Amino acid sequence: MNDTATGAPADVGVLGGGRMGAGIAHAFLLAGSRVTVVERDADAAGAASARVLESVATSVARGTADDEQSAIAARFAASTEVGDFAGCDLVVEAVPEDLELKIDALTRVEAVLAPGAALASNTSSISIDQLAALLDRPSRFVGLHFFNPVPASSLVEIVRGEATDGLLVEQARAWVHAIGKTPIVVADAPGFASSRLGVALGLEAIRMLEDGVASAEDIDAAMSLGYKHPVGPLRLTDIVGLDVRLGIAEYLSNTLGERFAPPALLRRMVAEGKLGRKTGEGFYLWDAP
Ligand SMILES: NC(=O)c1ccc[n+]([C@@H]2O[C@H](COP(=O)([O-])OP(=O)(O)OC[C@H]3O[C@@H](n4cnc5c(N)ncnc54)[C@H](O)[C@@H]3O)[C@@H](O)[C@H]2O)c1
């Protein structure tokens, strides 16, 4: 296993260069890694490449990158061949949140990796053990849950599956520090740590609004001013999307129990198309989607 001077892996692969994959590629490039993004077709690879190089350019312009744009770009490649991951120390899968798609992608990537290489998934809700079930080397598989937008988010949840090697967890912890972020290690439980706590607070805030306890503004102020949260739970639900939150609440209520049951108000607003910032209306009115 090779690391760069910063302690990041020397060769990193990212499968899927969409919103999250491009951000993950950006993070490792800035830490000195060589990064290969593999996409499903040439058009998507071109779009992923543009996304990554644009966000690198932003960091260079802001003075937050140690290297020149050309030096960073020289360490980056985008392709459509999973075989290009062959020499990677770590591959992070960031394809859409679909179990079948992820299992297919992960098994194809594992087949080209060296036995000691690490394989990770950026899944935000699928069980790491479920994904590991069809892998040949589940001990080398771990969850690396980045947050959106990756360049501005300092947290990474390391999700330890039943079969994940303890040494890989430590290695992942060091890699997360090397890219300038803070790791937390969580067991493979529904919602991990972040979604479970965040959604619990958001759902209770919606129930309080439903019960007429206070206005949306005042419920949010209770948390932003009283508890120093950067954004109140209802405004945050608007930003994330009410449909996204409803989906997570349904999943958590099925796996963890009734306490995560979606409030009627949330269901009604989603049915009415009031999805938050992206539709211009949620618990607040938003200027532009
Ligand atoms: N968006 C978020 O806020 C967020 C936050 C944390 C985690 N996640 C997780 O990250 C993952 C990716 O989410 P996203 O928001 O970046 O999605 P996205 O749709 O922006 O990107 C997915 C990318 O995967 C590519 N892709 C699809 N099939 C592929 C294949 N077979 N091989 C290679 N590439 C393929 C697509 O072309 C696309 O570029 C999901 O598991 C999601 O749950 C998302």
Side-chain angles (χ1 to χ4, degrees):
M1 189 69 55
N2 305 303
D3 285 347
T4 67
T6 62
D11 281 285
V12 175
V14 180
L15 186 75
R19 183 153 181 84
M20 297 305 291
I24 294 165
H26 167 269
F28 282 102
L29 280 168
L30 260 56
S33 306
R34 282 184 296 271
V35 176
T36 303
V37 169
V38 170
E39 263 288 350
R40 58 184 166 178
D41 58 38
D43 283 353
S49 181
R51 261 191 296 277
V52 172
L53 294 175
E54 203 176 290
S55 69
V56 166
T58 303
S59 298
V60 171
R62 286 185 183 155
T64 53
D66 291 338
D67 297 329
E68 301 286 326
Q69 173 86 11
S70 57
I72 299 173
R75 295 198 300 268
F76 172 67
S79 101
T80 56
E81 295 299 324
V82 165
D84 291 342
F85 287 148
C88 286
D89 306 296
L90 164 70
V91 173
V92 183
E93 168 277 308
V95 301
E97 194 77 348
D98 176 287
L99 179 65
E100 299 306 319
L101 177 66
K102 282 193 188 287
I103 288 178
D104 172 64
L106 289 166
T107 48
R108 285 190 299 118
V109 173
E110 186 190 48
V112 305
L113 292 182
L119 181 58
S121 175
N122 184 49
T123 179
S124 37
S125 64
I126 300 173
S127 155
I128 291 301
D129 291 337
Q130 208 174 351
L131 292 174
L134 290 173
L135 294 178
D136 288 335
R137 297 185 296 276
S139 64
R140 299 298 298 163
F141 180 61
V142 69
L144 278 185
H145 182 212
F146 288 79
F147 288 74
N148 181 21
V150 180
S153 307
S154 53
L155 179 66
V156 178
E157 280 183 310
I158 298 174
V159 187
R160 197 187 54 224
E162 191 78 13
T164 307
D165 188 343
L167 286 175
L168 176 57
V169 172
E170 290 318 306
Q171 204 166 30
R173 214 194 272 271
W175 287 337
V176 171
H177 282 300
I179 59 173
K181 302 196 185 292
T182 302
I184 61 171
V185 177
V186 300
D188 184 28
F192 309 138
S194 56
S195 299
R196 183 163 165 176
L197 272 180
V199 169
L201 190 65
L203 295 179
E204 197 56 30
I206 297 170
R207 282 190 280 264
M208 287 164 66
L209 190 64
E210 237 172 9
D211 293 348
V213 172
S215 67
E217 288 82 357
D218 286 355
I219 291 169
D220 277 349
M223 288 296 101
S224 56
L225 301 179
Y227 280 69
K228 307 239 179 306
H229 289 199
V231 187
L234 296 170
R235 185 172 292 277
L236 185 61
T237 303
D238 267 10
I239 293 170
V240 172
L242 274 68
D243 52 337
V244 174
R245 276 284 165 101
L246 175 60
I248 301 173
E250 278 169 342
Y251 170 70
L252 292 180
S253 68
N254 286 335
T255 48
L256 294 175
E258 272 300 292
R259 67 191 191 278
F260 284 97
L265 176 61
L266 178 61
R267 286 192 189 285
R268 193 163 68 242
M269 289 176 72
V270 170
E272 289 169 356
K274 294 175 182 165
L275 307 184
R277 185 166 65 178
K278 61 187 164 190
T279 59
E281 185 175 354
F283 298 106
Y284 295 87
L285 292 176
W286 297 81
D287 277 346

